[in-house]
Amino acid sequence: MLEESMDKPHIVTCTAPVNIAVIKYWGKRNEELILPINSSLSVTLHQDQLKTTTTVASSRSFQEDQIWLNGKEEDITHPRLQSCLREIRRLARKRRNDGDSGLDSTGLSHKVHICSVNNFPTAAGLASSAAGFACLVYTLARVFGVEGELSGIARQGSGSACRSMYGGFVQWIMGQKDDGKDSLAQQVEPETHWPELRILVLVASAERKPVGSTSGMQTSVQTSCLLKHRAESVAPGRMVEMIEAVRRKNFAAFAELTMKDSNQFHATCLDTYPPIFYLSSVSQQVITLVHRYNSYYGETRLAYTFDAGPNAVIFTLQQHVPEFVQVVQHFFPPETNGGQFIKGLPVNCTDLPEELKQAIGLEPMPKGISYVISTKAGPGPCVVEDPTQHLLESDGWPKKTE
Amino acid sequence: MLEESMDKPHIVTCTAPVNIAVIKYWGKRNEELILPINSSLSVTLHQDQLKTTTTVASSRSFQEDQIWLNGKEEDITHPRLQSCLREIRRLARKRRNDGDSGLDSTGLSHKVHICSVNNFPTAAGLASSAAGFACLVYTLARVFGVEGELSGIARQGSGSACRSMYGGFVQWIMGQKDDGKDSLAQQVEPETHWPELRILVLVASAERKPVGSTSGMQTSVQTSCLLKHRAESVAPGRMVEMIEAVRRKNFAAFAELTMKDSNQFHATCLDTYPPIFYLSSVSQQVITLVHRYNSYYGETRLAYTFDAGPNAVIFTLQQHVPEFVQVVQHFFPPETNGGQFIKGLPVNCTDLPEELKQAIGLEPMPKGISYVISTKAGPGPCVVEDPTQHLLESDGWPKKTE
């Protein structure tokens, strides 16, 4: 029965995090290699709240590579998926040719079955492709026995995926080389560096499907002269300032730069022709609310940032979370029969001072925000050791769902 | 009775137009003299639809300068009003000293009574201060017998007022001098140059009072690095292109540059810290609608531009007006019991092709637009010869209103 045992698939499951950029990435200088026009910096969100789980099975008995995303088979010939598969196999071949075979049992000719799920709805508008490609690359690397720098491969799946290869505070250095070999992610500080920092994802009720980021950034690069200026003359200095603010845990500096950079990114979207709008009226209300809250206290206690969609991501320190959540509930009254409004890390109850409510002085927008995910900075991708967590059966095929 | 006749006030009434910038002015390099950080270009709107009327009376019997705006006495000590009064009197003195007295009967020591009204609601959010200061300066100049270049004085009342001193297509050349003597408006082409051009003001239902333009542009100059880049490196080239497009009556070039420049102005507002939002969800819907309309026809038939508020100003050619108005009525269904939806130049009825409706494919926003003012390019300030049109009684005091 040697034959059968050799055919038994090699199965690995890993998880990877979402990240949220505080110095934004928008625009590629090379579409195929996914090389950006400026460096960026992000915070990796904790996987207890938001993660992708991916299982990869490899077997000589598989006829072809196949992929299932959130329960549905998808087209494996997608160029970016192919880039990641090709690059991991190339690295594995290189290691083997270098006589550094490792412990892996996966042959280079083996086909893979990939199954991936998110623990958060795609509707949350969080850059699920970053966590997805980070998880794919991390898991494939384990299966093929590849170690070391992997962010350059994840980058070729989805630009921002390279930043999800590390925990904590992560920079994506744009690099200078034409082949992209120096366009890599690097940890600036680990997730343990700033334990008081809290992150709240305000999931806005989506009005309409926004322009996708791939085509959006293409149009921006082609048409926005402000984007070119930002990438060349503004972003480099902001990277230096942001790294400094993170290293020193200077919340005010971190927060102000985060807000300015989010605004500048959306400004370049508006300078795009035709213009792109990602900020909804709910987003605008959150922005106004944050500035009035900070101004009431005479210090910067909150920061917002928005990616290519209407959801706000709020940064604050632990001690300000309960009051801010009250503020959100007051100015965006949730559906009374809706589910839990606050998900994730527990939030204590507190009073909302009448004077603060007055100072903010906005007209409440009922149901403007569907729910809030309370989280913090977290670690990079991990291997799931428990085999019961595999998303594929031991024969390497998806579990039957009724 | 010589005494009494000499005391009889000298009364002059003039009208002046609103203008709408297609290359935007945003940001001063000198707050007091109102010197801009870039040149701008506007179209003067026809006074049949939108105008300010101002009557100035001067008499040696008046004790002090006084002003009434839209029926209410206002503070004459406002610094910008004082600038205009001072500069006109200075010019009058200069002329008299040069022995070039003219026909005026107003002594330099005479005080003035000023009364001014707009024929459009302030709520229309049209830059009424431009028409207002242009009219004030033009009328004062007549009263004090001052002729020649007046845009430099109007500029000191409200920057964009200098452009309302001419009809048709007008540039405000930023100038280089510290004293602002070369920061003047100049007609590029008269109002008769492009008779097919039509202008539709889409008055949006205001959600909230936006940030005033004076303080808004101050904050932008202080905080937006994109604005600095725009003023130094983008606007100069756009002025050249825009003048060329106007001269050649190249609608597509004119329209695209108009839209891009409006978007870039709003982008710099968003890059301001804290950010400034002038575009409402109605404005965004108009922008999307215009791009889809143009894309349906495969040519640029419409352009939008937005100033410091949510109202859209649409440029198009005469033959496209009836259909576009149908489109607006379809996607912004007016109140059934409201007043006339289309004001100003008459618009013919037409059918709205089903296919066009489908191609635009937006969710209608009921009552998003209150009404539309249909107009075209028009002449600069004029003297009203008919004395029954004076806004002040022959004694120089406001007419009694019950």
Side-chain angles (χ1 to χ4, degrees):
Chain A
M1 305 307 280
L2 182 63
E3 197 70 71
E4 200 177 323
S5 122
M6 279 191 68
D7 274 359
K8 204 164 165 64
H10 174 206
I11 304 186
V12 178
T13 298
C14 301
T15 64
V18 166
N19 73 77
I20 176 82
V22 290
I23 299 293
K24 299 294 188 190
Y25 151 56
W26 194 252
K28 301 180 183 73
R29 64 181 197 275
N30 180 317
E31 289 286 334
E32 207 188 338
L33 292 170
I34 311 193
L35 303 178
I37 58 173
N38 62 267
S39 297
S40 54
L41 196 145
S42 60
V43 183
T44 296
L45 305 194
H46 205 290
Q47 296 180 51
D48 282 355
Q49 282 74 49
L50 299 160
K51 71 178 172 205
T52 295
T53 304
T54 301
T55 297
V56 175
S58 70
S59 164
R60 71 168 51 165
S61 72
F62 294 161
Q63 297 295 302
E64 51 178 5
D65 295 330
Q66 281 182 273
I67 188 165
W68 292 264
L69 299 180
N70 294 311
K72 189 166 158 283
E73 182 162 10
E74 299 286 346
D75 181 9
I76 193 80
T77 70
H78 189 289
R80 291 178 171 195
L81 272 174
Q82 288 297 315
S83 293
C84 292
L85 283 162
R86 186 186 61 237
E87 292 304 310
I88 287 285
R89 284 178 168 132
R90 183 188 312 219
L91 268 192
R93 189 173 310 115
K94 187 165 175 298
R95 279 174 60 88
R96 223 148 295 184
N97 292 344
D98 294 351
D100 186 20
S101 157
L103 301 162
D104 59 290
S105 58
T106 295
L108 286 167
S109 62
H110 290 189
K111 300 297 181 189
V112 291
H113 285 180
I114 303 162
C115 188
S116 188
V117 296
N118 298 326
N119 72 341
F120 55 94
T122 308
L126 295 151
S128 56
S129 67
F133 276 106
C135 207
L136 172 72
V137 168
Y138 194 81
T139 316
L140 283 173
R142 291 280 162 160
V143 166
F144 285 98
V146 171
E147 284 169 354
E149 213 315 297
L150 295 169
S151 75
I153 301 180
R155 189 201 73 227
Q156 294 176 63
S158 172
S160 57
C162 72
R163 296 187 313 240
S164 275
M165 296 301 280
Y166 298 96
F169 302 84
V170 183
Q171 63 173 321
W172 173 10
I173 298 167
M174 65 177 289
Q176 300 300 331
K177 293 186 185 165
D178 283 343
D179 65 5
K181 291 271 192 291
D182 57 351
S183 188
L184 302 171
Q186 203 174 67
Q187 190 176 63
V188 172
E189 292 288 352
E191 60 274 21
T192 50
H193 169 67
W194 200 347
E196 306 79 20
L197 192 69
R198 285 293 175 278
I199 301 161
L200 300 164
V201 183
L202 276 48
V203 179
S205 45
E207 291 167 353
R208 51 182 170 189
K209 190 170 162 44
V211 173
S213 61
T214 300
S215 77
M217 64 177 81
Q218 265 177 29
T219 316
S220 292
V221 168
Q222 286 158 12
T223 62
S224 169
C225 37
L226 299 187
L227 177 61
K228 187 169 160 23
H229 177 70
R230 159 181 168 69
E232 288 171 3
S233 307
V234 184
R238 287 190 172 177
M239 283 297 292
V240 174
E241 279 181 69
M242 184 59 90
I243 290 169
E244 185 68 10
V246 166
R247 292 232 158 102
R248 293 178 184 269
K249 298 191 274 185
N250 180 339
F251 185 79
F254 170 82
E256 280 157 38
L257 200 46
T258 293
M259 291 188 274
K260 285 178 182 172
D261 208 65
S262 173
N263 294 336
Q264 187 166 88
F265 153 51
H266 291 281
T268 65
C269 290
L270 190 41
D271 188 52
T272 298
Y273 187 80
I276 304 169
F277 298 97
Y278 289 123
L279 301 177
S280 67
S281 51
V282 170
S283 317
Q284 292 185 12
Q285 173 111 326
V286 170
I287 290 173
T288 307
L289 187 156
V290 165
H291 285 291
R292 291 191 186 171
Y293 183 97
N294 288 337
S295 145
Y296 174 78
Y297 282 111
E299 65 174 14
T300 305
R301 294 187 174 183
L302 299 173
Y304 53 77
T305 188
F306 296 83
D307 276 350
N311 297 338
V313 176
I314 301 290
F315 291 95
T316 190
L317 298 176
Q318 198 169 7
Q319 68 261 36
H320 306 312
V321 169
E323 186 181 76
F324 177 64
V325 164
Q326 290 299 314
V327 169
V328 172
Q329 284 196 288
H330 178 80
F331 288 103
F332 300 95
E335 265 189 283
T336 45
N337 289 328
Q340 213 184 353
F341 188 63
I342 310 290
K343 302 172 197 266
L345 293 177
V347 174
N348 292 330
C349 275
T350 188
D351 282 339
L352 180 54
E354 193 57 38
E355 205 192 343
L356 171 59
K357 236 191 289 186
Q358 299 293 331
I360 292 173
L362 291 165
E363 191 64 37
M365 293 178 76
K367 300 178 213 163
I369 289 172
S370 309
Y371 57 92
V372 176
I373 304 167
S374 166
T375 186
K376 59 183 182 180
C382 319
V383 177
V384 177
E385 304 290 357
D386 174 4
T388 68
Q389 300 298 305
H390 290 329
L391 302 174
L392 295 167
E393 297 284 7
S394 57
D395 62 1
W397 289 90
K399 301 193 170 178
K400 289 280 179 292
T401 50
E402 60 284 46
Chain B
M1 304 307 279
L2 182 65
E3 196 70 70
E4 201 178 322
S5 125
M6 278 190 69
D7 274 0
K8 204 162 166 64
H10 174 205
I11 304 185
V12 177
T13 298
C14 301
T15 64
V18 166
N19 72 77
I20 177 82
V22 290
I23 300 293
K24 299 295 186 189
Y25 151 55
W26 194 252
K28 302 181 182 72
R29 63 181 199 277
N30 180 316
E31 289 286 332
E32 208 188 337
L33 291 170
I34 312 193
L35 303 177
I37 59 173
N38 62 268
S39 297
S40 54
L41 197 146
S42 58
V43 182
T44 298
L45 305 195
H46 205 289
Q47 297 180 51
D48 283 355
Q49 282 74 49
L50 300 158
K51 70 178 173 204
T52 295
T53 304
T54 301
T55 297
V56 175
S58 70
S59 165
R60 71 168 50 166
S61 73
F62 293 162
Q63 297 296 303
E64 49 177 8
D65 294 331
Q66 280 180 275
I67 188 165
W68 293 263
L69 299 180
N70 294 310
K72 190 168 157 283
E73 181 160 13
E74 299 287 345
D75 181 10
I76 193 82
T77 70
H78 189 290
R80 292 179 170 195
L81 272 175
Q82 287 297 315
S83 293
C84 293
L85 282 163
R86 186 186 60 238
E87 292 304 311
I88 288 285
R89 283 177 169 134
R90 184 187 312 216
L91 268 194
R93 188 173 310 115
K94 186 165 176 296
R95 280 174 60 87
R96 223 148 297 185
N97 292 344
D98 295 351
D100 186 22
S101 158
L103 300 162
D104 58 289
S105 58
T106 296
L108 286 167
S109 61
H110 290 189
K111 300 296 180 189
V112 291
H113 284 179
I114 304 163
C115 188
S116 189
V117 295
N118 298 326
N119 72 340
F120 56 94
T122 308
L126 296 152
S128 56
S129 67
F133 276 105
C135 207
L136 172 72
V137 168
Y138 193 82
T139 316
L140 282 173
R142 290 281 162 161
V143 166
F144 284 99
V146 171
E147 283 169 353
E149 214 313 299
L150 296 169
S151 76
I153 301 180
R155 190 200 73 228
Q156 294 176 61
S158 172
S160 57
C162 71
R163 296 187 313 240
S164 275
M165 297 300 281
Y166 298 96
F169 302 84
V170 183
Q171 63 173 320
W172 173 11
I173 298 167
M174 64 177 289
Q176 301 300 331
K177 294 187 185 165
D178 283 343
D179 65 7
K181 291 271 191 291
D182 57 352
S183 188
L184 302 171
Q186 203 172 68
Q187 190 176 64
V188 171
E189 292 288 351
E191 61 274 20
T192 50
H193 169 66
W194 200 347
E196 306 79 20
L197 192 69
R198 284 294 175 277
I199 301 161
L200 300 165
V201 183
L202 276 48
V203 179
S205 46
E207 291 166 354
R208 50 182 172 189
K209 189 171 163 43
V211 173
S213 60
T214 300
S215 77
M217 65 175 80
Q218 266 178 28
T219 316
S220 292
V221 168
Q222 285 157 13
T223 62
S224 168
C225 38
L226 298 188
L227 177 61
K228 187 170 156 34
H229 177 70
R230 160 182 167 68
E232 288 171 2
S233 307
V234 184
R238 288 190 172 176
M239 284 296 292
V240 174
E241 278 181 70
M242 185 59 91
I243 290 169
E244 185 67 11
V246 167
R247 292 232 158 103
R248 291 177 184 271
K249 298 191 272 185
N250 180 339
F251 185 78
F254 170 81
E256 280 157 38
L257 200 46
T258 294
M259 292 188 273
K260 285 179 182 170
D261 208 66
S262 173
N263 294 336
Q264 186 166 90
F265 153 52
H266 292 281
T268 65
C269 290
L270 190 40
D271 188 52
T272 299
Y273 187 81
I276 305 170
F277 297 98
Y278 289 124
L279 302 176
S280 68
S281 50
V282 170
S283 318
Q284 292 185 14
Q285 173 111 327
V286 170
I287 289 173
T288 306
L289 186 155
V290 165
H291 285 292
R292 293 192 186 170
Y293 183 98
N294 288 338
S295 145
Y296 174 79
Y297 283 111
E299 66 174 13
T300 305
R301 293 188 176 183
L302 298 174
Y304 53 78
T305 188
F306 296 83
D307 277 349
N311 297 338
V313 176
I314 302 289
F315 291 95
T316 190
L317 298 175
Q318 197 169 8
Q319 69 261 36
H320 305 312
V321 169
E323 187 183 75
F324 177 65
V325 164
Q326 290 299 315
V327 169
V328 172
Q329 285 196 289
H330 178 80
F331 289 102
F332 301 94
E335 266 189 281
T336 45
N337 290 328
Q340 212 183 355
F341 188 63
I342 310 291
K343 303 173 197 266
L345 293 177
V347 174
N348 292 330
C349 275
T350 187
D351 281 338
L352 180 54
E354 192 56 40
E355 205 193 343
L356 171 59
K357 237 192 286 187
Q358 299 292 331
I360 292 174
L362 290 165
E363 191 65 36
M365 293 178 75
K367 299 178 213 165
I369 289 172
S370 310
Y371 56 91
V372 175
I373 304 167
S374 166
T375 184
K376 59 184 182 178
C382 320
V383 177
V384 177
E385 304 291 356
D386 175 4
T388 67
Q389 300 298 305
H390 291 329
L391 303 173
L392 295 166
E393 297 284 6
S394 58
D395 64 359
W397 288 90
K399 301 191 170 180
K400 288 281 177 293
T401 50
E402 60 283 48

